[in-house]
Amino acid sequence: MIFKPVILKIAFLLFLNAMVFSCESGNKNSNLQRAKVNINNDWQYLENNTEHIGDAQKETHWKKINLPHSWNALDATDITPGYRRSASWYKKDLNIPNIISGQIYQLYFEGVNIESEVYVNGEKVGGHTGGYIGFLVDITKAISTGNNEILVRVDNTYNPEVIPSQKSDFFIFGGITRDVWLETLPSDYLSNLKITTPKVSNSNAEIQATVVVNSSNISNLKVKASLLDADGTSIKSSLFDISDSMSEINFKSIVNPKLWDIDHPNLYTLAVQLVEDNIVKDEISDRVGFRWFEFKDYGAFYLNGKRLLLRGTHRHEEHAGVGAAMSNKQHRADMELIKDMGANFVRLAHYPQDPEIYKACDELGLLVWDELPWCRGGLGNDAWKLNTKNMLEEIIEQNYNHPSIILWSLGNEIYWLPDFENGDNRENINVYLKELNDYAHKLDPSRKTAIRKYYEGADIVDVFSPSIWSGWYSGSYKSYQKAIDQYKKEYPHFLHAEYGGSSHLGRHTENPITGEGKIQSDGWEEAIVQTDVANIAQIGDWSENYIVDLFDWHLRISENDSTFVGNVQWAFKDFGTPLRPENAIPYMNQKGLVDRTGKPKDAFYVFKSYWGKDPFAYIESHTWTERQGPKGKSRDISVYSNCPEVELFLNGKSLGVKRRDTKIFPASGLNWTLNFNEGENNLKAIGKISNSKEVIDSLKINYRYAKNEKARALKLSYKLLNNGNYLVTAKAIDAKGLRCLDYEERVYFQCLNGGEALISQGTPTGSEIIEMANGQASIEIKRHSKDKPLQVMVLNQNFKGTYLTIN
């Protein structure tokens, strides 16, 4: 089915960033002014998939909620296979005390996943196909003074005609997953402000912009545009004529512009007014960043004329407990943590994301790969093609003005697992891919197009990423240099997107499995069917140690290659997937540098040691405080730091100062061999900075000479958390009571009485089924009342039940 909205289609609407600014001296405001009000609060939710609004209106079992909201927030990552793919209804009473004649009223939805229909007072006023793009609904003719009933039917049912494919490795969360706004506009108003900077240098810049004028009579109207710096000072200002409902704005000779770059993301504002006889009828604005970039043929990437190594990661839009229905605060926290790690590039995988993300990238100085969600599924039918092309247009038009965006990606693994017969036919795919590529360049000639892991289309797009998963899905991580050397010669604009592997927080080993002697070391390609290739993903231990080494090896190579564009780690944060029920945390892709709440794993500090600016030191590992080995057995300790020198102390004794050198593996040479005492050992690392400044990291390690025997039981303990909840921990112990550091089997938690377990979070302390990490696993419990005992149980196939009562 092809869905044709009866709404005002968004090409690009500047008032997504609605910003009312002061009129300059001499201009007066008209009585009609635009406004934008968030209406996230006080909605109701009905889990009923009826297609008829009348049936929904008769229902009495509505649940009070606030937006954003997803009905898959917990069921996507619970222990039951599958997740709800159906429809639901949302309702809100919208009170409009006074309707002003001539005013335009509309609802703006930042994202409704994945198809929607919108009703006002029983009348259908619009809808949308595609869950990751904003859309407008004009409700002017449907509203009345007083209360107005807003009803939205949302449907994430499997529909092969709407991308992304069901076979994608992530959840398609259903719901109104982003903010909703009530916007009011005057009868004569501006829209579709599109800004380009065709000429930029260190000494001079130019702005060209267009804006649509919506008016039945433009004879006396003018457009006034002003370029303001970050302090609000006017740099340029002029009046422009209107022709065919469009005004073209041009400012030349902007002298010595403050450039937008990753370290100084300078932003200007282009403020535009619709003026009639010195009266301001409407006003909109958007931000501008002056920058230029270039991918050198068979060479590096340049920003503002300087070589810049792209240091990237990927982001999926989800968080523990809420799924895709994240708050703006949570969105911002993700991007700030990515920036704090030192990244300068982010690939938004595998779909356009919340407006807050682009805003953050503009402000923080993060370059962006924005992606059309053509992820797997092959080529579809005519309806699929139309929906996909419409979605590409919406992505480009809505995000056009963001200086952070440099790449429009046309998809990922697009030929994999076709949803339609003959959908993996390369000739047919290439015809359509070329159509999309041409359309993207028509909509935006200033940016480049990209695609990942579709080799037959590598010469269609501007920038290409092959599949290189050295050390995980194929081969050894030591083959990475060979892989990039090959592809640098083969593709003129080669950017490596996706590398890494899974790690289970808190799992460590003295001897990580590297696969040497068991796998073909030179491979790096990811196979569709994983059983076809022996790899570390299958035979590895999922330890944090191994992943630290893998990333350290990759970064050592990329950081020391002067002609490499850069690479993009997969993925910044653990995320949910229906395709991985047997992982250490079921239904979680655990390739993140941080867990699903944003808590860093060891690998985070590896990247920060290469990329981060604020001095720090991190002893590997703060989640490995119980270790064992024979007396006299030497152990290696690495410190990840960006300081020029680090001194390590064991039990108060200096083990020497080492200088950091990124050409040395591991840990850029910050590695010491030592012997632990039996019992408590105290490590201290001092990172030495110029001017006698230091950063310090400390770690206590309990080391034993006795090796545990086979696990004989599970033992439960607890501690009270600052939030008032209890952290209940299960440990596997042997016959002597020693914790079994090599025990990795699944355990199953259950809160029997007196409280409830924090479950379905997809986190190391929020999953009722989880593999142990070094013989230990935990679950967070919320107690109902201190007057009643709290009872918790843990078991698995070998141990039939251990119980804990907290009185």
Side-chain angles (χ1 to χ4, degrees), residues 517-689:
K518 297 181 179 180
I519 62 173
Q520 182 180 344
S521 61
D522 277 350
W524 53 72
E525 178 70 44
E526 178 186 9
I528 297 177
V529 181
Q530 288 295 301
T531 54
D532 290 344
V533 181
N535 56 42
I536 297 298
Q538 297 170 338
I539 69 172
D541 50 35
W542 284 40
S543 67
E544 291 197 70
N545 315 58
Y546 176 77
I547 292 303
V548 161
D549 289 345
L550 181 150
F551 285 133
D552 195 358
W553 188 274
H554 279 70
L555 291 171
R556 180 184 62 85
I557 290 170
S558 61
E559 291 292 314
N560 290 289
D561 188 332
S562 62
T563 62
F564 189 34
V565 169
N567 50 25
V568 193
Q569 174 270 342
W570 180 271
F572 183 69
K573 189 177 182 182
D574 287 353
F575 62 93
T577 166
L579 306 186
R580 301 173 188 265
E582 298 178 4
N583 278 5
I585 301 176
Y587 300 105
M588 291 304 301
N589 189 317
Q590 292 174 251
K591 295 185 180 72
L593 304 179
V594 301
D595 73 10
R596 206 167 177 240
T597 65
K599 179 182 178 181
K601 305 180 190 179
D602 287 346
F604 174 89
Y605 298 101
V606 180
F607 282 84
K608 190 172 182 178
S609 72
Y610 281 96
W611 298 351
K613 292 189 174 180
D614 293 335
F616 84 102
Y618 178 81
I619 304 170
E620 184 194 2
S621 158
H622 285 242
T623 59
W624 195 13
T625 57
E626 297 286 332
R627 298 176 68 166
Q628 65 183 13
K631 184 178 181 180
K633 177 70 174 179
S634 297
R635 297 298 187 193
D636 290 332
I637 290 291
S638 291
V639 176
Y640 285 90
S641 175
N642 54 3
C643 298
E645 293 183 342
V646 174
E647 185 173 10
L648 184 67
F649 294 81
L650 173 62
N651 300 323
K653 180 181 178 181
S654 175
L655 301 182
V657 176
K658 296 203 173 183
R659 288 195 62 81
R660 183 171 177 269
D661 182 349
T662 59
K663 293 182 175 65
I664 300 176
F665 175 87
S668 298
L670 303 179
N671 184 270
W672 290 260
T673 300
L674 52 79
N675 292 90
F676 287 120
N677 296 330
E678 188 167 28
E680 184 176 284
N681 293 265
N682 292 283
L683 289 169
K684 182 170 73 171
I686 300 178
K688 299 179 181 294
I689 314 166

Side-chain angles (χ1 to χ4, degrees), residues 85-100:
R85 300 293 301 275
S86 187
S88 292
W89 289 81
Y90 292 84
K91 179 171 68 174
K92 180 178 177 64
D93 290 329
L94 182 64
N95 185 269
I96 304 178
N98 181 32
I99 294 178
I100 301 174

Side-chain angles (χ1 to χ4, degrees), residues 704-720:
R704 69 187 190 215
Y705 295 154
K707 187 180 187 301
N708 63 266
E709 299 175 355
K710 288 185 178 181
R712 296 297 180 190
L714 299 177
K715 181 181 179 180
L716 286 173
S717 61
Y718 73 92
K719 70 175 181 179
L720 185 63

Side-chain angles (χ1 to χ4, degrees), residues 456-500:
E456 292 83 354
D459 60 347
I460 294 176
V461 297
D462 302 315
V463 177
F464 178 66
S465 172
S467 175
I468 310 174
W469 279 92
S470 303
W472 192 250
Y473 288 124
S474 185
S476 164
Y477 58 71
K478 294 180 181 179
S479 69
Y480 187 56
Q481 182 74 66
K482 184 176 180 180
I484 65 169
D485 286 346
Q486 174 181 319
Y487 291 136
K488 280 166 60 178
K489 296 175 183 177
E490 189 170 348
Y491 302 110
H493 303 144
F494 157 52
L495 169 60
H496 176 208
E498 297 193 21
Y499 68 99

Side-chain angles (χ1 to χ4, degrees), residues 67 158 166 191 203 243 286 300 351 452 474 610 736 794 803:
L67 302 179
Y158 169 57
Q166 168 81 8
S191 65
S203 59
S243 177
D286 207 354
Y351 41 81
R452 180 191 169 271
S474 185
Y610 281 96
K736 297 179 180 179
V794 66
Y803 300 85

